[in-house]
Amino acid sequence: MTAATFAAEGAAASGFPLLTALVLVPVLGAVLVASMSKRRPEWIKLTAILFSVFTGAISVWMLGSFKTADAGFQLVSKHEWISSWGISWHLGVDGISLFLVVLTGVLFPLAIVGVDPHHDEKPYLAWLLLLEAGVMGSFLSLDLFLFFVFFEIVLVPMYFLIGGWGHGKRIYAATKFFLYTMIGSAFMLVGIAATVLLAKNSLGRVTFDLVELANDSNFAASTARWLFFAFAIAFAVKVPMFPLHTWLPDAHTEAPTAGSVVLAGVMLKLGTYGFLRFGLYLFPQAARNTRAIFLTLAVIGILYGAIAATMQKDLKRLVAYSSIAHLGFIVLGTFAMTSQSISGGVLQMINHGVSTGALFLLVGMIYERRHTREISALKGIQSVAPVFAAAFTLVMLSSIGVPGLNGFVGEFLVLIGSFLTARWWTVVAASGVILAALYLLWAYQRVFHGEPDEDNKSFAELRWKEGMVLLPFIAAIVFCGVYPKPMLDRIQPSVNALISHISDKTGYVEPQPVSTSQEAHP
Amino acid sequence: MNLAATPFIAPSIDWFAIAPMLILLGGGLVLLVAASLTPPWPKHLYSLSTIAIAVATIVVVCFQWGRISDTGARIIIGDALAYDHFSMFGIIVVCLALILVSLITDDFVRREGMDGPEIYGLYIMAVIGAIVMIMSNDLIVLFLGLETLSISFYVLAASNRKRAESQEAGIKYFVLGGFSSAFFLYGVALIYGGTGSTNFGRIIASFDFVSLQRSDSMVLVGVALLLIGLSFKVAAAPFHFWAPDVYQGSPTPVTAFFASVGKMAAFAAMLRVLVIALPNWKDDWRPVVWVIAILTLVIGSISAVVQTNVKRMLAYSSISHAGFILIGVEAAGHVGGSSAESRGMPSTMLYLLIYAVLVVGTFAIVSVVGRTGDAATELGSFRGLARQKPLLALALTVFLLAQAGVPLTSGFIAKFGVIQAAVDQRSYALAIVAMVSAVIAAFLYLRILISMWLADPEAGDDTREALRVPASTAIAIGFCVAFTLYVGFNPGWFIGLSETVVNVASSASGG
């Protein structure tokens, strides 16, 4: 606690632009890595690790400097960028983005340390660091133009990572990923331009500043609906929501392990985060009016993802489909628009990043050993590699949402929060929790139980290095499951602020939990 | 309108105002005459003298820019030319393109065994034609510029005498180009018939008279024919069919010249004719431009995807870029005239500047990869480029991503500019069609990137001629990369520059 306050004072006193550093340090690392000589691969790797760890350290320092009870944007840095178009370099962090930034900062070094790309390490590491900068920028931007720049620039490193270091149909998967996401962004770009130019009437000037637009703009209801849809398409592709999800199984499956970890861990959250930050915040009325569409698609995604995951033959594809289901819960919570459901959604973003990131790492380890991910080719691993199996079990249980582990907290909050405002959607969605147990436990049973056959007899036990990479994940899974309060304390104020912003703008009254809801729902 | 009664008075000539053309004309003629009277010059010298001429022109333009800022834009030489920031911006773009193209031509002509001053002379003449088009304030003057430009272009397309494709490109361009010039000229005649003048100022002033005399239909047919002629020059659908063949067949540096100088001149002429001369008919021509823009965007991007030759791909991509630029023209058409409110004209000019640099850089690399004979432009020729020449591959990656409109490159700023202009005029459909077709076109750029970075090597790759990046081409590519990234990161100054182009010399004052 003293360290945290000290850090906070230090940051405030020196005015060190923490958030700008979060974006620029990885870029610097990428440039440095790209310009190093290929003959000393160990130096290249060391540089990449140092820069990503340094970024992670800054993000943890930022967590320390964060003022818990403050709902607004903190550590803001704002500079003119393209003044003739009203665009500024405007970064800030609040409870909604705080842990996503920390997750990004921590996940990247682990992915870099934990996964070996096998060839062309230099460009691989450079692309990963650039990707980190792009993701950081997207979570921190408070300027529509700046956000779009980061949101779109993220595609390029990911495209090259999937295409260059992926498996099987890597080029097909990379191209599909790029074009799908770009189609979504195409609508968002027009939406951004329209939002800004239409807001000129009520603001009196052209600005891309998110906070100004959200507070002072005043759109006609039908206009706002179209603008909201333009943004929503981009986010729905990114999440991905049914029926725009088809890029995800391919991209996840063919991506290299580090790519999958980052893709599932943080990049999908760009979509759900975007809904909160740019959907609900900018167009509260439109989001409320059209919420039935998004709730329905979220619930379809939950069921569809779970059922499709059950049927998969490839372990990595199974995890990919499970992401569709999990992200469905987050969207459900977002559009249910109660303080509990949104907090649960934000928490679930982090939880999904941790558990699915770890799952992809574990599947990657299986692939390293056996060079296959076919469920039918794997058998009885538990008896030859018990520690590995134990780690897998814990991560899997967190993904299922077993109480005591992190997945439960987020899912439970989403479900009880959503029950107040979106009762029947929640009832259907709750069955997704059971389906998650079905597909994961069944897969576990087929892969780990039984007697190992010839091929699986020599399955190597978890190595030290692998264990050290997994340890932070497991620690986070248990800690958040047992004691989520420190996280919720930071998330809650910003979520409440968002809800009261929606109330101010639309006259929406958040229903209170059961004890006082007798009057509201007679 | 008793035009015939006016006695002829020789117009006073503002020599300083037309200095850019005089420098280019004098320099070009000296270069041609001196080079033909002397034994072959040492290498680089033809190209260096061309660059020196272009640099001198840009320096003069910078002085003129300041003078226009002080004293205001005006019409010069008997209302024939407009002396304003719009012209100066266009001249800077074509001269910049001339410098870059000369740099990449230098080694190319020696590699192909066609070294000599002719190609540079033709470049310079074409640029003079382009400047006349950009500055024109009269349809006849515009036509003179157009023909000067076009005739140089026809010869340039056919300038590689050893390759049949080049000859074919020249003939195709000549026949189709002549046809389109005829359309344009017929349009000029009808406009003259309808309004009684070819001068922009008098065309505007004649509007009341035209609507009273009910000779509107003749003007409208004239506008349609002018649009056909100009659409041909900018390679807008459905008048784009010449572009892929000509782009593919012409020597690669010449293709870069067509795509940069040709586009700039033709679009400047289009803005002059439509927005400045015919704002009174804007409600008639704007829907046509709207349709042409949509067709161009969709046809350009979809046809690009199925090509296998990179030069052809880039030809179609230049068509789809023309569609984007037309969006700016359409947006400018909503306000018409020289209203400072419009984002249309600045965004169009900014797009042209950015695209000129981008396309020259791209074709510079294609020219290097084309190897001796300028023929290795199939997609497969780019296979493994990342392994052989990583920096070259990186540069091409920057150009292609910029053309696809990825942020932090100049291409994104250009696209965002025209999209903003369209959205500002509530042309949402146009903006969305444009962005979606940009995604389709992105697939084409990805295909080249895949071939460079990701494709597995095939048998026979090692037997290909080794790639050689000459110093002059490297300088041009380096400049283009630096420009593309700089504008992507810090476009403020360039946006400000482009916003001054709305200060067009008032045509009405010449009437």
Side-chain angles (χ1 to χ4, degrees):
Chain A
M1 192 57 216
T2 46
T5 37
F6 172 73
E9 280 163 7
S14 65
F16 180 70
L18 270 184
L19 304 185
T20 306
L22 276 175
V23 180
L24 293 186
V25 167
V27 175
L28 205 66
V31 172
L32 205 65
V33 164
S35 55
M36 283 169 84
S37 160
K38 220 183 270 182
R39 262 163 280 160
R40 303 296 295 273
E42 64 282 2
W43 282 102
I44 294 177
K45 181 124 190 183
L46 191 67
T47 315
I49 292 174
L50 276 180
F51 271 92
S52 64
V53 168
F54 186 47
T55 314
I58 300 175
S59 73
V60 173
W61 189 22
M62 178 205 75
L63 181 63
S65 328
F66 190 84
K67 295 188 196 67
T68 307
D70 191 347
F73 292 106
Q74 306 186 21
L75 304 166
V76 172
S77 72
K78 190 172 182 184
H79 305 279
E80 290 279 308
W81 183 22
I82 308 175
S83 44
S84 50
W85 282 356
I87 295 165
S88 56
W89 172 269
H90 189 184
L91 302 180
V93 66
D94 71 349
I96 295 173
S97 55
L98 174 69
F99 288 100
L100 289 167
V101 173
V102 177
L103 180 68
T104 311
V106 175
L107 206 58
F108 271 87
L110 291 173
I112 290 175
V113 173
V115 187
D116 178 15
H118 294 298
H119 63 94
D120 294 324
E121 206 164 37
K122 194 176 95 162
Y124 169 84
L125 293 169
W127 284 129
L128 263 179
L129 286 169
L130 272 187
L131 183 62
E132 177 167 20
V135 175
M136 284 287 186
S138 313
F139 285 137
L140 294 171
S141 302
L142 296 180
D143 180 285
L144 295 186
F145 186 88
L146 191 63
F147 172 75
F148 184 85
V149 165
F150 285 121
F151 189 80
E152 185 94 339
I153 205 78
V154 160
L155 296 185
V156 178
M158 201 64 209
Y159 170 77
F160 280 103
L161 281 173
I162 298 177
W165 290 268
H167 317 279
K169 295 189 296 174
R170 60 199 166 91
I171 291 173
Y172 167 79
T175 309
K176 195 169 173 182
F177 162 76
F178 195 99
L179 294 181
Y180 258 73
T181 321
M182 212 176 164
I183 275 277
S185 316
F187 287 94
M188 183 162 74
L189 185 70
V190 178
I192 288 177
T195 305
V196 168
L197 293 171
L198 288 171
K200 192 169 62 176
N201 297 335
S202 45
L203 264 70
R205 65 197 187 85
V206 176
T207 177
F208 284 76
D209 193 279
L210 172 69
V211 184
E212 282 182 49
L213 285 171
N215 289 331
D216 302 334
S217 68
N218 194 7
F219 302 111
S222 60
T223 316
R225 188 163 63 232
W226 287 113
L227 296 175
F228 175 64
F229 277 143
F231 281 80
I233 288 180
F235 300 139
V237 170
K238 202 82 174 187
V239 169
M241 284 172 75
F242 182 88
L244 303 169
H245 64 281
T246 54
W247 64 269
L248 178 123
D250 287 311
H252 267 133
T253 314
E254 312 303 349
T257 302
S260 310
V261 170
V262 170
L263 200 55
V266 287
M267 270 184 72
L268 300 186
K269 277 69 182 188
L270 288 179
T272 46
Y273 168 78
F275 270 124
L276 280 174
R277 177 72 83 230
F278 298 92
L280 265 56
Y281 187 45
L282 262 183
F283 309 106
Q285 185 69 56
R288 268 191 69 198
N289 293 347
T290 57
R291 72 181 196 127
I293 301 172
F294 293 93
L295 289 171
T296 309
L297 289 178
V299 171
I300 294 178
I302 293 172
L303 297 182
Y304 170 86
I307 294 169
T310 319
M311 294 298 129
Q312 294 308 312
K313 299 190 179 79
D314 182 318
L315 205 51
K316 208 170 173 186
R317 241 185 145 74
L318 184 147
V319 181
Y321 273 105
S322 83
S323 287
I324 298 178
H326 281 121
L327 272 287
F329 279 106
I330 302 173
V331 177
L332 175 71
T334 302
F335 281 91
M337 290 189 205
T338 64
S339 122
Q340 271 170 326
S341 73
I342 294 181
S343 300
V346 174
L347 201 59
Q348 189 65 1
M349 288 188 215
I350 316 298
N351 293 338
H352 176 260
V354 173
S355 348
T356 310
L359 267 182
F360 273 121
L361 275 176
L362 286 160
V363 174
M365 290 170 193
I366 294 179
Y367 184 78
E368 290 288 304
R369 289 164 164 78
R370 293 277 292 103
H371 294 287
T372 178
R373 296 180 308 250
E374 288 289 310
I375 293 175
S376 56
L378 302 162
K379 196 167 186 282
I381 292 175
Q382 194 172 344
S383 57
V384 285
V387 180
F388 185 90
F392 197 98
T393 312
L394 190 86
V395 173
M396 176 193 71
L397 290 178
S398 125
S399 184
I400 294 173
V402 170
L405 300 178
N406 63 348
F408 174 73
V409 185
E411 245 168 45
F412 186 70
L413 276 176
V414 167
L415 288 176
I416 57 167
S418 307
F419 191 73
L420 294 172
T421 55
R423 180 161 303 171
W424 292 107
W425 284 289
T426 312
V427 168
V428 182
S431 65
V433 180
I434 303 160
L435 286 170
L438 173 72
Y439 60 79
L440 279 169
L441 288 176
W442 192 33
Y444 183 84
Q445 181 196 343
R446 284 178 290 170
V447 171
F448 286 89
H449 285 179
E451 280 304 308
D453 53 18
E454 238 1 83
D455 296 332
N456 291 314
K457 266 225 169 69
S458 53
F459 193 91
E461 182 56 284
L462 195 69
R463 296 186 190 92
W464 264 108
K465 189 185 140 196
E466 293 170 344
M468 294 317 289
V469 171
L470 282 176
L471 198 63
F473 287 97
I474 290 174
I477 286 173
V478 175
F479 180 80
C480 302
V482 177
Y483 189 54
K485 187 171 176 294
M487 292 175 79
L488 283 171
D489 281 348
R490 288 168 173 79
I491 294 171
Q492 205 84 49
S494 298
V495 170
N496 288 338
L498 176 63
I499 300 260
S500 60
H501 173 80
I502 297 175
S503 304
D504 290 348
K505 285 274 175 183
T506 68
Y508 162 76
V509 182
E510 189 198 355
Q512 291 308 307
V514 193
S515 59
T516 52
S517 70
Q518 292 302 323
E519 304 97 289
H521 301 284
Chain B
M1 298 299 287
N2 50 347
L3 293 162
T6 321
F8 178 78
I9 304 163
S12 67
I13 295 174
D14 183 349
W15 295 100
F16 180 64
I18 57 167
M21 276 184 267
L22 295 178
I23 293 171
L24 284 164
L25 185 65
L29 288 177
V30 168
L31 174 72
L32 277 177
V33 172
S36 58
L37 295 178
T38 51
W41 293 4
K43 68 176 184 178
H44 304 315
L45 208 54
Y46 296 128
S47 151
L48 282 178
S49 1
T50 313
I51 293 168
I53 294 166
V55 169
T57 313
I58 291 185
V59 170
V60 169
V61 169
C62 291
F63 282 113
Q64 292 184 329
W65 188 288
R67 212 176 79 166
I68 295 171
S69 302
D70 295 340
T71 61
R74 60 207 164 82
I75 311 278
I76 53 168
I77 314 187
D79 301 348
L81 296 175
Y83 180 58
D84 51 19
H85 280 159
F86 180 91
S87 306
M88 296 304 126
F89 191 92
I91 295 173
I92 290 175
V93 174
V94 288
C95 286
L96 185 66
L98 176 62
I99 294 172
L100 293 171
V101 171
S102 301
L103 279 171
I104 63 176
T105 309
D106 176 45
D107 183 78
F108 176 86
V109 284
R110 253 174 291 121
R111 188 180 80 192
E112 304 299 325
M114 45 192 263
D115 200 7
E118 298 86 0
I119 197 164
Y120 300 105
L122 287 165
Y123 282 163
I124 293 174
M125 294 309 142
V127 166
I128 295 170
I131 293 178
V132 173
M133 286 169 79
I134 293 165
M135 292 183 80
S136 63
N137 192 48
D138 188 296
L139 287 171
I140 294 293
V141 175
L142 176 59
F143 183 74
L144 287 179
L146 183 73
E147 282 304 281
T148 315
L149 176 91
S150 302
I151 290 171
S152 312
F153 273 14
Y154 305 146
V155 185
L156 279 169
S159 61
N160 193 345
R161 290 184 296 273
K162 291 179 196 152
R163 287 186 68 219
E165 293 94 330
S166 179
Q167 313 286 316
E168 186 189 322
I171 291 288
K172 265 184 190 156
Y173 199 10
F174 174 62
V175 173
L176 291 171
F179 211 51
S180 85
S181 293
F183 271 106
F184 186 86
L185 203 53
Y186 199 4
V188 173
L190 286 174
I191 298 262
Y192 179 76
T195 65
S197 176
T198 56
N199 185 279
F200 291 177
R202 291 190 203 101
I203 291 174
I204 297 174
S206 73
F207 182 57
D208 296 338
F209 153 78
V210 171
S211 31
L212 283 176
Q213 301 284 315
R214 318 286 294 162
S215 55
D216 209 13
S217 55
M218 197 190 267
V219 178
L220 286 180
V221 175
V223 172
L225 292 174
L226 286 183
L227 256 177
I228 292 177
L230 290 169
S231 301
F232 177 88
K233 285 293 163 201
V234 302
F239 311 104
H240 65 284
F241 292 100
W242 61 275
D245 287 345
V246 171
Y247 276 38
Q248 186 186 2
S250 304
T252 310
V254 170
T255 313
F257 191 70
F258 290 171
S260 51
V261 173
K263 279 256 187 321
M264 178 68 230
F267 271 109
M270 195 179 244
L271 283 173
R272 286 265 186 220
V273 171
L274 295 181
V275 182
I276 297 169
L278 300 166
N280 294 326
W281 285 272
K282 66 172 188 277
D283 293 331
D284 297 308
W285 58 256
R286 208 186 55 238
V288 182
V289 173
W290 192 90
V291 172
I292 292 179
I294 296 237
L295 278 179
T296 310
L297 284 162
V298 172
I299 292 178
S301 49
I302 289 180
S303 331
V305 166
V306 295
Q307 302 301 321
T308 55
N309 184 300
V310 172
K311 266 168 101 174
R312 256 188 122 71
M313 284 179 178
L314 292 173
Y316 279 109
S317 110
S318 92
I319 293 170
S320 110
H321 281 290
F324 264 97
I325 303 171
L326 280 170
I327 295 176
V329 177
E330 202 264 354
H334 277 273
V335 279
S338 54
S339 168
E341 282 295 297
S342 168
R343 290 163 178 267
M345 205 118 93
S347 66
T348 309
M349 294 304 264
L350 185 64
Y351 202 115
L352 286 162
L353 166 68
I354 287 171
Y355 181 67
V357 174
L358 211 50
V359 81
V360 174
T362 315
F363 277 113
I365 295 176
V366 174
S367 152
V368 168
V369 176
R371 299 181 175 85
T372 310
D374 200 23
T377 54
E378 289 298 311
L379 195 52
S381 316
F382 287 75
R383 201 184 315 111
L385 187 66
R387 275 187 297 280
Q388 298 157 26
K389 294 272 177 204
L391 280 179
L392 199 64
L394 207 60
L396 186 54
T397 307
V398 169
F399 294 141
L400 293 177
L401 291 177
Q403 294 209 35
V406 170
L408 300 184
T409 63
S410 61
F412 176 63
I413 299 297
K415 287 211 162 89
F416 194 69
V418 291
I419 293 292
Q420 252 189 328
V423 167
D424 205 21
Q425 302 299 340
R426 310 277 192 274
S427 304
Y428 299 114
L430 200 53
I432 286 177
V433 169
M435 287 316 293
V436 170
S437 73
V439 178
I440 301 172
F443 179 63
L444 134 94
Y445 306 120
L446 288 185
R447 281 181 66 199
I448 305 178
L449 289 180
I450 288 168
S451 180
M452 272 197 310
W453 291 95
L454 308 175
D456 299 316
E458 285 177 18
D461 278 5
D462 299 335
T463 58
R464 291 183 301 199
E465 183 187 334
L467 284 182
R468 209 170 42 83
V469 187
S472 56
T473 311
I475 293 170
I477 295 172
F479 173 83
C480 293
V481 170
F483 182 87
T484 303
L485 292 178
Y486 181 78
V487 175
F489 278 95
N490 190 10
W493 190 78
F494 293 91
I495 293 171
L497 194 68
S498 72
E499 274 167 1
T500 60
V501 304
V502 291
N503 302 323
V504 177
S506 171
S507 296
S509 67

